[in-house]
């Protein structure tokens, strides 16, 4: 079999461990200087992509029977990175409510360059942001399902790793994965198009290019390797997977220094106040994704987190109600729709708390809706940093 010799193992191992050391050092410095938990929890999760990709790929080279399981775990983490990158961008700009409030009246115009030429003008409103988040979350949910199905089909002898033939499951799993993956990356693109003005202070282009390039390359490499196997250029599916693992080890030694540049810990310099253990616990907790999944897809119950100024408390609003979005919300703000609350000389709504609710991207009619404002962090874990 190809890709099985000590020299290759040594070189790829050197690349994998060097990249991992750089990434883990970066993560440790973020945890030590954990002064902006709402940003750094997502940065840490993204940075873990390098050691997970590198070590899983290298171990897969050393022990081929375990490669399917290691690579499946690696690929599942890929979906986690997409979700966390979108949430990092939302944290940068102050949350979905702040995007809606500050970009009110603006639209994403059809453009061939931005791949929106077949879409109508898209208003940047609550629906727009929600669809972007749903596009990322569906990938997080679907990828583990596909991973489990892949293992079952492998055990049943019908998967056909890297074999593009009609009587094997691989091409069908790859097709579904491709659709989900493409939708998730397109959701990231749409969010960037809608919020790029707000993201400018955070130099988003390098971050977008780096994260999307790593994910894009790893996926399409797998497709190219499968084609090489089908054409007989690479002998077996196991060799095709080994080729991809070699390429990933090389790519991670390139990606690691760019990660240091794109997500520097120095901008958060200052000792965290919660202690290293609490910092780690906060960064790896998945409470946020569970809550986000429920509230982004639940049709009857919405929870909106309002983001204050730098370092201020988070305000959480819960509604069991219809939420006005898009043109309906704009009409309400202009006094022409439901509620008809008193408006000040400058056209602003003078109802108590109306400005706070507008920041969340909706208006509220107090006589009809149950509103709770409880001043707490989105994870209920006592963090007081910016969210």
């Amino acid at each position: 079999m190809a890709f099985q010799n000590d020299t290759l193992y040594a070189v790829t191992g050197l690349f994998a461990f060097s990249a991992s050391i750089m990434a883990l050092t970066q993560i440790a410095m973020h945890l030590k200087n954990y002064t902006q938990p709402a940003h750094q929890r997502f940065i840490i999760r993204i940075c873990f992509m390098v050691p997970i990709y590198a070590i899983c790929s290298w171990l897969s080279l050393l022990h081929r029977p375990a490669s399917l399981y290691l690579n499946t775990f690696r690929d599942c983490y890929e979906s986690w990175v997409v979700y966390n990158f979108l949430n990092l961008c939302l944290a940068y700009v102050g949350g979905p409510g702040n995007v809606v409030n500050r970009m009110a009246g603006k639209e994403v115009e059809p453009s061939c360059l931005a791949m929106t030429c077949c879409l109508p003008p898209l208003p940047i409103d609550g629906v727009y942001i929600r669809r972007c988040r749903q596009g990322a979350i569906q990938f997080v949910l679907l990828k583990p399902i596909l991973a489990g199905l892949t293992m079952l089909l492998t055990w049943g002898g019908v998967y056909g790793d890297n074999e593009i033939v009609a009587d094997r499951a691989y091409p069908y799993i790859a097709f579904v994965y491709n659709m989900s993956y493409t939708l998730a990356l397109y959701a990231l693109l749409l969010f960037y198009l809608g919020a790029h003005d707000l993201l400018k202070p955070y130099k988003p282009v390098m971050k977008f290019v780096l994260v999307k390039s790593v994910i894009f390359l790893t996926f399409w490499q797998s497709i190219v390797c499968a084609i090489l196997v089908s054409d007989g250029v690479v002998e077996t599916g196991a060799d095709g997977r080994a080729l991809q693992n070699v390429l990933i080890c090389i790519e991670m030694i390139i990606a690691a220094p760019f990660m240091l540049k794109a997500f520097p810990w120095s901008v958060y310099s200052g000792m965290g106040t919660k202690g290293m253990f609490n910092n780690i616990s906060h960064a790896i907790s998945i409470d946020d994704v569970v809550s986000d999944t429920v509230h982004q897809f639940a049709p009857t119950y919405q929870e909106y987190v309002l983001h204050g100024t730098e370092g201020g408390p988070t305000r959480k609003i819960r509604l069991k109600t219809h939420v006005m979005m898009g043109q309906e919300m704009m009409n309400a703000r202009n006094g022409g729709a439901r509620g008809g609350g008193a408006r000040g000389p400058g056209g602003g709504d003078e109802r108590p708390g109306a400005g706070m609710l507008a920041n969340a991207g909706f208006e509220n009619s107090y006589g009809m809706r149950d509103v709770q404002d409880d001043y707490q962090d989105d994870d209920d874990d006592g963090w007081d940093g910016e969210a």
Side-chain angles (χ1 to χ4, degrees), residues 9-25 50-51 54-56 58-59 62 249 252-253 256:
Y9 296 155
V11 172
T12 53
L14 177 62
F15 287 166
F17 280 96
S18 297
S20 298
I21 290 170
M22 281 189 279
L24 291 173
T25 300
V50 170
I55 298 303
C56 285
W58 186 67
L59 291 177
L62 293 182
C249 288
M252 288 305 103
I253 194 63

Side-chain angles (χ1 to χ4, degrees), residues 38-47 77-92 136-137 140 188 211 263 283 285-286 288-289 292:
H39 294 179
Q40 289 173 280
R41 80 182 313 182
F42 301 122
I43 291 173
I44 288 168
R45 293 169 179 177
I46 293 168
C47 291
Y77 200 82
E78 176 181 283
S79 64
W80 183 236
V81 169
V82 172
Y83 168 80
N84 280 283
F85 185 70
L86 178 57
N87 273 353
L88 174 62
C89 293
L90 280 167
Y92 279 154
I137 293 172
V140 177
L188 281 183
V211 172
F263 303 102
S285 171
I286 63 170
D288 58 321
V289 69
D292 201 15

Side-chain angles (χ1 to χ4, degrees), residues 330-374:
M330 297 300 295
N331 291 339
R333 286 180 173 172
N334 293 329
R338 51 196 293 177
R343 311 191 73 80
D349 197 330
E350 294 183 342
R351 289 173 297 169
M356 177 186 69
L357 292 171
N359 186 51
F362 58 83
E363 294 273 350
N364 183 63
S365 175
Y366 287 93
M368 299 175 61
R369 296 163 189 171
D370 173 27
V371 179
Q372 176 183 346
D373 181 9
D374 54 8

Side-chain angles (χ1 to χ4, degrees), residues 272-335:
T273 60
K274 294 288 183 177
M276 183 65 77
F277 179 79
N278 285 329
N279 295 346
I280 294 172
S281 177
H282 182 260
I284 66 175
S285 171
I286 63 170
D287 290 347
D288 58 321
V289 69
V290 173
S291 175
D292 201 15
T293 301
V294 171
H295 295 302
Q296 291 305 317
F297 288 97
T300 58
Y301 189 95
Q302 295 297 322
E303 181 178 272
Y304 289 83
V305 178
L306 303 179
H307 302 275
T309 56
E310 187 86 11
T314 298
R315 305 189 74 179
K316 183 181 290 184
I317 301 295
R318 292 192 177 95
L319 300 116
K320 297 179 181 178
T321 181
H322 164 74
V323 177
M324 289 190 288
M325 293 182 177
Q327 188 60 45
E328 184 183 7
M329 182 180 70
M330 297 300 295
N331 291 339
R333 286 180 173 172
N334 293 329

